Amino acid sequence: MVPRRRYAAALTLLVAGLLLGASFGTATSLRTEYVAREVDPGAAPAVVADAEPDVVNLDARLADDPAAVREPVATAARTGRFAGEVPPELHIQLDDMDAPYAVYDGRYYRLGLNVSAERTHATIRLDPTTGAAVADAAATPYAAAPPAAQRVVDEGTVRSRELVEPGLVVRDGRYFLVQTRTEGALAGRLLAAFGGFVLTPVGRAYTVAAVGLFALLRSRDTARPIGDRDALAVVAATLVVSLALAGLTGSGSLALRLTLVPFVATVAALGLFAGSCLRSRSWGRLAVASVAASVVGVGAPVVAVGGFAALFALPLLFVGWLGSLPLAAYGYAFTPE
């Protein structure tokens, strides 16, 4: 007779798997509210700089820094150029800037940067310019803007699943600033989508493992029905299901979808096998499976796409390893002595 708490544990795993498996679809279905308001670029430099990617707001970037950190920028604003050593805090910020224009002390400047990668040396050029010049160079003509951005300009306020890049759009000589209504909304949505992307394969592993546990509990009528082969069967089933779903759903590179996501799910599913091996003290099998999963999980994307795929594979496989820990506990608890 199988205790009810065993079925409850399997049901909990199934619910967690279904929720995590649907996380990416849920995240990508979220809507973001965008607004478009007419602005005079010359009268609102800070407002334009906060939303237009081609204009960096140096006032906001340096607001919390002491005067010694801001001094090189202040010197460039006064004299047109600064060249020399800069504080490390400023060097880090300058190295991250690639906008051709800047706003400093409420004025527009043409920005030129040359930041040394090996030491804290930088050349900063700030040439005064006008709002009209910045607007002409940075604004996207309405006809060339993406349809989603055009719709925001036409309607003023739009809630959309599409990602709309903030910035200036010019139509019939009038400038409209397109941006999200809530600051940080776009970054939050992108973070949610990325979180859903990495959690979805873990959810698939949990779902397959839960179905396997239910089947074993029912067929063997024992509280500890898992053996090493059963756990490996769950791993194989997870790989097959993930490959099928990756091939039939989603978008983007098919090679990446057929390597990265399924192998993250497989690494997570290996937790069940690892827990079973720990219980039965099958150290050799556990070591072989761990090494094989690492080699295949990183190697397959590299072979399919190229060396840069390792940049994605390593952190995603780490997520898979973290996701395997709950399944390791299940494998240990459901394997006989």
Side-chain angles (χ1 to χ4, degrees), residues 19-34 159-164 185-201 204 249-252 257:
L19 290 175
L20 290 175
S23 58
F24 182 67
T26 301
T28 54
S29 68
L30 296 176
R31 295 177 180 270
T32 302
E33 186 173 11
Y34 298 93
R159 291 182 61 85
S160 174
R161 294 178 184 177
E162 296 183 67
L163 297 179
V164 181
L186 195 57
R189 185 177 168 192
L190 290 173
L191 183 62
F194 177 76
F197 174 76
V198 299
L199 292 177
T200 292
R204 291 171 182 170
T249 63
S251 59
R257 297 208 315 269

Side-chain angles (χ1 to χ4, degrees), residues 301-319:
V302 171
V303 171
V305 182
F308 82 95
L311 299 175
F312 300 96
L314 290 173
L316 287 178
L317 287 176
F318 178 71
V319 172

Side-chain angles (χ1 to χ4, degrees), residues 226-237:
I226 295 180
D228 291 352
R229 292 184 178 180
D230 302 315
L232 280 178
V234 168
V235 174

Side-chain angles (χ1 to χ4, degrees), residues 2 7 213-221:
V2 179
Y7 284 110
L213 286 177
F214 274 117
L216 291 171
L217 289 171
R218 291 284 294 175
S219 63
R220 298 181 180 175
D221 198 27

Side-chain angles (χ1 to χ4, degrees), residues 62 84 180 219 236 247 260 276 302:
L62 306 177
T180 57
S219 63
L260 283 180
S276 181
V302 171

Side-chain angles (χ1 to χ4, degrees), residues 7-319:
Y7 284 110
L11 179 61
T12 300
L13 184 62
L14 178 62
V15 172
L18 293 174
L19 290 175
L20 290 175
S23 58
F24 182 67
T26 301
T28 54
S29 68
L30 296 176
R31 295 177 180 270
T32 302
E33 186 173 11
Y34 298 93
V35 296
R37 55 171 172 155
E38 187 173 358
V39 295
D40 177 359
V47 174
V48 172
D50 286 339
E52 171 55 51
D54 285 341
V55 186
V56 60
N57 191 341
L58 292 176
D59 291 327
R61 288 283 191 99
L62 306 177
D64 297 329
D65 292 321
V69 174
R70 300 195 305 269
E71 181 55 34
V73 176
T75 299
R78 288 194 306 268
T79 65
R81 184 176 183 274
F82 171 89
E85 298 296 317
V86 297
E89 305 96 306
L90 180 60
H91 184 270
I92 293 172
Q93 295 198 60
L94 293 177
D95 194 40
D96 188 44
M97 296 180 191
D98 58 0
Y101 297 96
V103 169
Y104 182 71
D105 199 21
R107 299 182 179 89
Y108 284 110
Y109 293 87
R110 187 183 298 276
L111 176 63
L113 289 175
N114 186 357
V115 183
S116 172
E118 298 179 358
R119 55 197 181 97
T120 57
H121 183 280
T123 300
I124 308 170
R125 294 183 179 84
L126 287 176
D127 299 320
T129 188
T130 64
V134 172
D136 288 342
T140 301
Y142 176 86
Q150 292 180 356
R151 183 183 168 204
V152 178
V153 173
D154 292 339
E155 301 182 16
T157 301
V158 170
R159 291 182 61 85
S160 174
R161 294 178 184 177
E162 296 183 67
L163 297 179
V164 181
E165 184 178 1
L168 274 177
V169 176
V170 57
R171 184 181 67 179
D172 299 330
R174 299 163 62 192
Y175 292 93
F176 297 86
L177 195 61
V178 176
Q179 59 188 147
T180 57
R181 181 177 292 279
T182 305
E183 185 177 357
L186 195 57
R189 185 177 168 192
L190 290 173
L191 183 62
F194 177 76
F197 174 76
V198 299
L199 292 177
T200 292
V202 176
R204 291 171 182 170
Y206 289 3
T207 301
V208 175
V211 172
L213 286 177
F214 274 117
L216 291 171
L217 289 171
R218 291 284 294 175
S219 63
R220 298 181 180 175
D221 198 27
T222 175
R224 297 178 185 273
I226 295 180
D228 291 352
R229 292 184 178 180
D230 302 315
L232 280 178
V234 168
V235 174
T238 300
L239 178 59
V240 171
V241 170
S242 296
L243 285 171
L245 291 175
L248 296 173
T249 63
S251 59
S253 170
L254 181 61
L256 280 177
R257 297 208 315 269
L258 292 178
T259 52
L260 283 180
V261 174
F263 284 106
V264 171
T266 304
V267 169
L270 273 171
L272 195 70
F273 178 73
S276 181
C277 288
L278 289 173
R279 187 74 161 187
S280 61
R281 293 182 170 81
S282 301
W283 311 118
R285 292 183 181 181
L286 177 59
V288 170
S290 299
V291 172
S294 300
V295 171
V296 175
V298 176
V302 171
V303 171
V305 182
F308 82 95
L311 299 175
F312 300 96
L314 290 173
L316 287 178
L317 287 176
F318 178 71
V319 172

